[in-house]
Amino acid sequence: MPVTPNYEWEESEDQVVIYVRPKGVGPDKIDVYTTCAWVKVNAERYLFAVDLKHDVIHEKTSFRKFDSGTVCITLTKEDTGTIWGELKRTGNPQEIKERREASVKDREEVYDRRLKLRKTTKEAEEKRYFNQHWDIEKGVRKEVEGKVTEEFERETGDLFVWEQAIEAEEEERKEGLPYVA
């Protein structure tokens, strides 16, 4: 059964800061999970979970793990300018549970939307890169084809001049005149 670690909290009109201290646990073994209504810190045999008295802006939540094992979680209040007076929400346990579950679901939906947006952005960037590369390839191909056409025309002209010279030489031989090039 998990043990609740020592913790302290403080607040201003805009923020709530929670310090969780799981004794003897390094920062790499500490997991922090937050929503707009719930904070959970899991560290080996320790579990800190609190349903917050009021909602916070999850997107502005941050946390920092220290080498001592202390975790500092900074939450921005949704209703700024208020003092909570206490950290934990009290009331009907079923309503608190439903609020927590709804906040977890909302966070997962936000995460899924961000993941989908990241995937869509990556696909668009890959398509843009492909099209850019393809345009470069088409330009190089057009340049090569132009050089081939130019060389073909030059060689065709040289061949025509050579054929004309051969025909003239044969004409002069037939007429018995010496050929002068």
Side-chain angles (χ1 to χ4, degrees):
M1 177 137 183
V3 176
T4 302
N6 292 330
Y7 73 94
E8 296 173 10
W9 74 284
E10 56 190 45
E11 70 175 317
S12 67
E13 290 185 351
D14 300 330
Q15 292 185 329
V16 173
V17 181
I18 305 170
Y19 301 93
V20 181
R21 296 182 174 90
K23 189 175 180 181
V25 178
D28 57 330
K29 300 206 178 192
I30 299 173
D31 293 318
V32 179
Y33 184 84
T34 62
T35 70
C36 64
W38 188 49
V39 173
K40 181 176 93 167
V41 178
N42 191 8
E44 291 184 350
R45 66 182 184 276
Y46 294 100
L47 176 63
F48 172 80
V50 63
D51 290 289
L52 300 170
K53 182 168 183 168
H54 297 287
D55 286 351
V56 296
I57 302 170
H58 179 259
E59 291 76 20
K60 293 185 178 181
T61 296
S62 65
F63 64 88
R64 186 168 175 205
K65 300 176 189 179
F66 296 95
D67 289 338
S68 64
T70 298
V71 179
C72 175
I73 305 164
T74 304
L75 310 164
T76 302
K77 293 179 176 179
E78 193 171 272
D79 296 325
T80 59
T82 61
I83 298 296
W84 293 1
E86 53 188 33
L87 182 63
K88 295 180 181 181
R89 188 173 192 94
T90 56
N92 181 325
Q94 184 60 33
E95 289 175 5
I96 293 171
K97 180 181 177 187
E98 289 171 3
R99 176 177 171 256
R100 178 187 328 125
E101 290 172 351
S103 72
V104 169
K105 183 178 179 189
D106 288 346
R107 179 178 175 202
E108 289 172 355
E109 288 173 356
V110 167
Y111 177 80
D112 289 344
R113 280 195 303 272
R114 285 183 182 160
L115 197 61
K116 189 174 185 177
L117 177 63
R118 193 177 314 150
K119 181 180 177 185
T120 304
T121 302
K122 182 179 178 186
E123 288 171 351
E125 185 64 22
E126 286 174 351
K127 184 175 182 178
R128 185 187 68 76
Y129 176 76
F130 174 81
N131 288 335
Q132 189 177 34
H133 184 71
W134 185 248
D135 289 344
I136 291 169
E137 288 290 322
K138 286 193 293 190
V140 169
R141 181 182 187 124
K142 188 174 183 178
E143 184 179 330
V144 169
E145 287 174 349
K147 288 180 180 181
V148 166
T149 302
E150 183 182 298
E151 186 175 336
F152 177 78
E153 289 172 356
R154 186 179 67 241
E155 292 299 322
T156 302
D158 290 349
L159 183 60
F160 180 75
V161 168
W162 179 76
E163 286 176 341
Q164 293 295 322
I166 296 293
E167 287 176 10
E169 185 180 324
E170 287 179 11
E171 280 295 316
E172 287 179 5
R173 250 190 257 146
K174 285 182 186 176
E175 294 175 8
L177 300 171
Y179 172 73
V180 179

